[in-house]
PDB file of all heavy atoms in Angstrom:
ATOM      1  N   ARG A 239     -13.345   0.352 -56.043  1.00 94.00           N
ATOM      2  CA  ARG A 239     -13.668  -1.017 -55.608  1.00 94.00           C
ATOM      3  C   ARG A 239     -12.564  -1.602 -54.711  1.00 94.00           C
ATOM      4  O   ARG A 239     -12.841  -2.200 -53.686  1.00 94.00           O
ATOM      5  CB  ARG A 239     -13.851  -1.868 -56.861  1.00 94.00           C
ATOM      6  CG  ARG A 239     -14.598  -3.155 -56.652  1.00 94.00           C
ATOM      7  CD  ARG A 239     -14.664  -3.943 -57.931  1.00 94.00           C
ATOM      8  NE  ARG A 239     -13.345  -3.984 -58.577  1.00 94.00           N
ATOM      9  CZ  ARG A 239     -13.129  -3.723 -59.863  1.00 94.00           C
ATOM     10  NH1 ARG A 239     -14.116  -3.377 -60.649  1.00 94.00           N
ATOM     11  NH2 ARG A 239     -11.913  -3.802 -60.375  1.00 94.00           N
ATOM     12  N   ASN A 240     -11.294  -1.394 -55.117  1.00 94.00           N
ATOM     13  CA  ASN A 240     -10.192  -1.982 -54.346  1.00 94.00           C
ATOM     14  C   ASN A 240      -9.605  -1.035 -53.312  1.00 94.00           C
ATOM     15  O   ASN A 240      -8.605  -1.357 -52.675  1.00 94.00           O
ATOM     16  CB  ASN A 240      -9.070  -2.430 -55.287  1.00 94.00           C
ATOM     17  CG  ASN A 240      -9.559  -3.512 -56.218  1.00 94.00           C
ATOM     18  OD1 ASN A 240     -10.388  -4.335 -55.826  1.00 94.00           O
ATOM     19  ND2 ASN A 240      -9.098  -3.492 -57.452  1.00 94.00           N
ATOM     20  N   GLY A 241     -10.187   0.128 -53.163  1.00 97.00           N
ATOM     21  CA  GLY A 241      -9.684   1.088 -52.189  1.00 97.00           C
ATOM     22  C   GLY A 241      -9.403   2.419 -52.848  1.00 97.00           C
ATOM     23  O   GLY A 241      -9.617   2.589 -54.055  1.00 97.00           O
ATOM     24  N   ALA A 242      -8.916   3.361 -52.046  1.00 98.00           N
ATOM     25  CA  ALA A 242      -8.625   4.696 -52.578  1.00 98.00           C
ATOM     26  C   ALA A 242      -7.736   5.443 -51.613  1.00 98.00           C
ATOM     27  O   ALA A 242      -7.716   5.163 -50.409  1.00 98.00           O
ATOM     28  CB  ALA A 242      -9.927   5.470 -52.775  1.00 98.00           C
ATOM     29  N   ILE A 243      -6.996   6.382 -52.191  1.00 98.00           N
ATOM     30  CA  ILE A 243      -6.218   7.309 -51.378  1.00 98.00           C
ATOM     31  C   ILE A 243      -6.915   8.655 -51.491  1.00 98.00           C
ATOM     32  O   ILE A 243      -7.066   9.184 -52.599  1.00 98.00           O
ATOM     33  CB  ILE A 243      -4.775   7.396 -51.901  1.00 98.00           C
ATOM     34  CG1 ILE A 243      -4.140   6.018 -51.739  1.00 98.00           C
ATOM     35  CG2 ILE A 243      -3.992   8.484 -51.167  1.00 98.00           C
ATOM     36  CD1 ILE A 243      -2.710   5.932 -52.177  1.00 98.00           C
ATOM     37  N   LEU A 244      -7.380   9.173 -50.382  1.00 98.00           N
ATOM     38  CA  LEU A 244      -8.146  10.419 -50.411  1.00 98.00           C
ATOM     39  C   LEU A 244      -7.228  11.584 -50.073  1.00 98.00           C
ATOM     40  O   LEU A 244      -6.672  11.657 -48.978  1.00 98.00           O
ATOM     41  CB  LEU A 244      -9.313  10.345 -49.416  1.00 98.00           C
ATOM     42  CG  LEU A 244     -10.285   9.184 -49.656  1.00 98.00           C
ATOM     43  CD1 LEU A 244     -11.427   9.227 -48.650  1.00 98.00           C
ATOM     44  CD2 LEU A 244     -10.833   9.219 -51.081  1.00 98.00           C
ATOM     45  N   ASP A 245      -7.078  12.474 -51.051  1.00 96.00           N
ATOM     46  CA  ASP A 245      -6.150  13.602 -50.904  1.00 96.00           C
ATOM     47  C   ASP A 245      -6.951  14.897 -50.879  1.00 96.00           C
ATOM     48  O   ASP A 245      -7.681  15.194 -51.816  1.00 96.00           O
ATOM     49  CB  ASP A 245      -5.167  13.557 -52.090  1.00 96.00           C
ATOM     50  CG  ASP A 245      -4.497  14.895 -52.374  1.00 96.00           C
ATOM     51  OD1 ASP A 245      -4.360  15.697 -51.437  1.00 96.00           O
ATOM     52  OD2 ASP A 245      -4.114  15.116 -53.539  1.00 96.00           O
ATOM     53  N   GLY A 246      -6.816  15.640 -49.793  1.00 93.00           N
ATOM     54  CA  GLY A 246      -7.506  16.934 -49.703  1.00 93.00           C
ATOM     55  C   GLY A 246      -8.949  16.794 -49.253  1.00 93.00           C
ATOM     56  O   GLY A 246      -9.713  17.744 -49.280  1.00 93.00           O
ATOM     57  N   VAL A 247      -9.300  15.642 -48.850  1.00 95.00           N
ATOM     58  CA  VAL A 247     -10.614  15.396 -48.301  1.00 95.00           C
ATOM     59  C   VAL A 247     -10.411  14.340 -47.207  1.00 95.00           C
ATOM     60  O   VAL A 247      -9.666  13.380 -47.427  1.00 95.00           O
ATOM     61  CB  VAL A 247     -11.610  14.909 -49.392  1.00 95.00           C
ATOM     62  CG1 VAL A 247     -11.204  13.584 -50.044  1.00 95.00           C
ATOM     63  CG2 VAL A 247     -13.026  14.821 -48.851  1.00 95.00           C
ATOM     64  N   VAL A 248     -10.835  14.542 -45.991  1.00 96.00           N
ATOM     65  CA  VAL A 248     -11.803  15.521 -45.540  1.00 96.00           C
ATOM     66  C   VAL A 248     -11.101  16.771 -44.992  1.00 96.00           C
ATOM     67  O   VAL A 248      -9.972  16.690 -44.536  1.00 96.00           O
ATOM     68  CB  VAL A 248     -12.690  14.895 -44.445  1.00 96.00           C
ATOM     69  CG1 VAL A 248     -13.470  13.720 -45.008  1.00 96.00           C
ATOM     70  CG2 VAL A 248     -11.874  14.382 -43.254  1.00 96.00           C
ATOM     71  N   ARG A 249     -11.847  17.887 -45.015  1.00 96.00           N
ATOM     72  CA  ARG A 249     -11.258  19.137 -44.540  1.00 96.00           C
ATOM     73  C   ARG A 249     -12.077  19.812 -43.457  1.00 96.00           C
ATOM     74  O   ARG A 249     -11.672  20.880 -42.988  1.00 96.00           O
ATOM     75  CB  ARG A 249     -11.131  20.089 -45.715  1.00 96.00           C
ATOM     76  CG  ARG A 249      -9.744  20.006 -46.383  1.00 96.00           C
ATOM     77  CD  ARG A 249      -9.897  20.640 -47.699  1.00 96.00           C
ATOM     78  NE  ARG A 249      -8.853  21.478 -48.148  1.00 96.00           N
ATOM     79  CZ  ARG A 249      -8.202  21.247 -49.301  1.00 96.00           C
ATOM     80  NH1 ARG A 249      -8.437  20.171 -49.986  1.00 96.00           N
ATOM     81  NH2 ARG A 249      -7.326  22.106 -49.730  1.00 96.00           N
ATOM     82  N   THR A 250     -13.177  19.227 -43.059  1.00 98.00           N
ATOM     83  CA  THR A 250     -13.957  19.771 -41.933  1.00 98.00           C
ATOM     84  C   THR A 250     -14.488  18.586 -41.121  1.00 98.00           C
ATOM     85  O   THR A 250     -14.570  17.458 -41.645  1.00 98.00           O
ATOM     86  CB  THR A 250     -15.175  20.590 -42.397  1.00 98.00           C
ATOM     87  OG1 THR A 250     -16.099  19.710 -43.055  1.00 98.00           O
ATOM     88  CG2 THR A 250     -14.810  21.734 -43.340  1.00 98.00           C
ATOM     89  N   VAL A 251     -14.882  18.864 -39.865  1.00 98.00           N
ATOM     90  CA  VAL A 251     -15.452  17.795 -39.046  1.00 98.00           C
ATOM     91  C   VAL A 251     -16.758  17.262 -39.678  1.00 98.00           C
ATOM     92  O   VAL A 251     -16.939  16.047 -39.766  1.00 98.00           O
ATOM     93  CB  VAL A 251     -15.629  18.275 -37.581  1.00 98.00           C
ATOM     94  CG1 VAL A 251     -16.500  17.325 -36.790  1.00 98.00           C
ATOM     95  CG2 VAL A 251     -14.254  18.425 -36.929  1.00 98.00           C
ATOM     96  N   PRO A 252     -17.667  18.132 -40.166  1.00 98.00           N
ATOM     97  CA  PRO A 252     -18.869  17.570 -40.816  1.00 98.00           C
ATOM     98  C   PRO A 252     -18.533  16.673 -42.017  1.00 98.00           C
ATOM     99  O   PRO A 252     -19.227  15.683 -42.263  1.00 98.00           O
ATOM    100  CB  PRO A 252     -19.664  18.809 -41.261  1.00 98.00           C
ATOM    101  CG  PRO A 252     -19.228  19.883 -40.330  1.00 98.00           C
ATOM    102  CD  PRO A 252     -17.790  19.600 -39.999  1.00 98.00           C
ATOM    103  N   GLN A 253     -17.468  16.968 -42.741  1.00 98.00           N
ATOM    104  CA  GLN A 253     -17.081  16.085 -43.855  1.00 98.00           C
ATOM    105  C   GLN A 253     -16.600  14.727 -43.318  1.00 98.00           C
ATOM    106  O   GLN A 253     -16.922  13.679 -43.877  1.00 98.00           O
ATOM    107  CB  GLN A 253     -15.959  16.700 -44.693  1.00 98.00           C
ATOM    108  CG  GLN A 253     -16.400  17.842 -45.592  1.00 98.00           C
ATOM    109  CD  GLN A 253     -15.246  18.423 -46.406  1.00 98.00           C
ATOM    110  OE1 GLN A 253     -14.236  17.778 -46.649  1.00 98.00           O
ATOM    111  NE2 GLN A 253     -15.412  19.663 -46.839  1.00 98.00           N
ATOM    112  N   ALA A 254     -15.814  14.762 -42.224  1.00 98.00           N
ATOM    113  CA  ALA A 254     -15.308  13.502 -41.646  1.00 98.00           C
ATOM    114  C   ALA A 254     -16.487  12.647 -41.200  1.00 98.00           C
ATOM    115  O   ALA A 254     -16.561  11.443 -41.473  1.00 98.00           O
ATOM    116  CB  ALA A 254     -14.382  13.806 -40.468  1.00 98.00           C
ATOM    117  N   HIS A 255     -17.441  13.303 -40.542  1.00 97.00           N
ATOM    118  CA  HIS A 255     -18.620  12.620 -40.031  1.00 97.00           C
ATOM    119  C   HIS A 255     -19.460  12.072 -41.196  1.00 97.00           C
ATOM    120  O   HIS A 255     -19.835  10.894 -41.217  1.00 97.00           O
ATOM    121  CB  HIS A 255     -19.410  13.652 -39.216  1.00 97.00           C
ATOM    122  CG  HIS A 255     -20.542  13.078 -38.461  1.00 97.00           C
ATOM    123  ND1 HIS A 255     -20.369  12.154 -37.465  1.00 97.00           N
ATOM    124  CD2 HIS A 255     -21.872  13.279 -38.580  1.00 97.00           C
ATOM    125  CE1 HIS A 255     -21.550  11.817 -36.992  1.00 97.00           C
ATOM    126  NE2 HIS A 255     -22.485  12.474 -37.651  1.00 97.00           N
ATOM    127  N   GLY A 256     -19.695  12.931 -42.190  1.00 98.00           N
ATOM    128  CA  GLY A 256     -20.523  12.545 -43.347  1.00 98.00           C
ATOM    129  C   GLY A 256     -19.879  11.417 -44.141  1.00 98.00           C
ATOM    130  O   GLY A 256     -20.569  10.478 -44.562  1.00 98.00           O
ATOM    131  N   LEU A 257     -18.576  11.477 -44.323  1.00 97.00           N
ATOM    132  CA  LEU A 257     -17.883  10.422 -45.076  1.00 97.00           C
ATOM    133  C   LEU A 257     -17.987   9.097 -44.310  1.00 97.00           C
ATOM    134  O   LEU A 257     -18.278   8.055 -44.901  1.00 97.00           O
ATOM    135  CB  LEU A 257     -16.406  10.793 -45.287  1.00 97.00           C
ATOM    136  CG  LEU A 257     -15.564   9.725 -45.987  1.00 97.00           C
ATOM    137  CD1 LEU A 257     -15.993   9.540 -47.445  1.00 97.00           C
ATOM    138  CD2 LEU A 257     -14.070  10.076 -45.929  1.00 97.00           C
ATOM    139  N   GLY A 258     -17.789   9.164 -42.983  1.00 96.00           N
ATOM    140  CA  GLY A 258     -17.874   7.952 -42.153  1.00 96.00           C
ATOM    141  C   GLY A 258     -19.252   7.307 -42.283  1.00 96.00           C
ATOM    142  O   GLY A 258     -19.369   6.087 -42.470  1.00 96.00           O
ATOM    143  N   LEU A 259     -20.303   8.129 -42.225  1.00 96.00           N
ATOM    144  CA  LEU A 259     -21.673   7.597 -42.321  1.00 96.00           C
ATOM    145  C   LEU A 259     -21.917   6.981 -43.690  1.00 96.00           C
ATOM    146  O   LEU A 259     -22.486   5.892 -43.813  1.00 96.00           O
ATOM    147  CB  LEU A 259     -22.699   8.726 -42.097  1.00 96.00           C
ATOM    148  CG  LEU A 259     -22.833   9.261 -40.678  1.00 96.00           C
ATOM    149  CD1 LEU A 259     -23.858  10.399 -40.644  1.00 96.00           C
ATOM    150  CD2 LEU A 259     -23.250   8.156 -39.717  1.00 96.00           C
ATOM    151  N   MET A 260     -21.476   7.707 -44.733  1.00 96.00           N
ATOM    152  CA  MET A 260     -21.709   7.228 -46.096  1.00 96.00           C
ATOM    153  C   MET A 260     -20.979   5.896 -46.329  1.00 96.00           C
ATOM    154  O   MET A 260     -21.539   4.960 -46.886  1.00 96.00           O
ATOM    155  CB  MET A 260     -21.234   8.308 -47.068  1.00 96.00           C
ATOM    156  CG  MET A 260     -21.576   8.103 -48.504  1.00 96.00           C
ATOM    157  SD  MET A 260     -20.298   7.229 -49.353  1.00 96.00           S
ATOM    158  CE  MET A 260     -19.123   8.546 -49.566  1.00 96.00           C
ATOM    159  N   LEU A 261     -19.737   5.800 -45.845  1.00 96.00           N
ATOM    160  CA  LEU A 261     -18.988   4.556 -46.036  1.00 96.00           C
ATOM    161  C   LEU A 261     -19.631   3.422 -45.241  1.00 96.00           C
ATOM    162  O   LEU A 261     -19.706   2.281 -45.713  1.00 96.00           O
ATOM    163  CB  LEU A 261     -17.520   4.744 -45.621  1.00 96.00           C
ATOM    164  CG  LEU A 261     -16.678   5.615 -46.559  1.00 96.00           C
ATOM    165  CD1 LEU A 261     -15.275   5.827 -45.987  1.00 96.00           C
ATOM    166  CD2 LEU A 261     -16.578   4.997 -47.956  1.00 96.00           C
TER     167      LEU A 261
END
Side-chain angles (χ1 to χ4, degrees):
R239 199 183 46 228
N240 297 326
I243 296 181
L244 302 182
D245 159 27
V247 62
V248 298
R249 266 163 139 122
T250 66
V251 167
Q253 286 180 23
H255 188 63
L257 176 68
L259 288 178
M260 189 269 283
L261 289 175

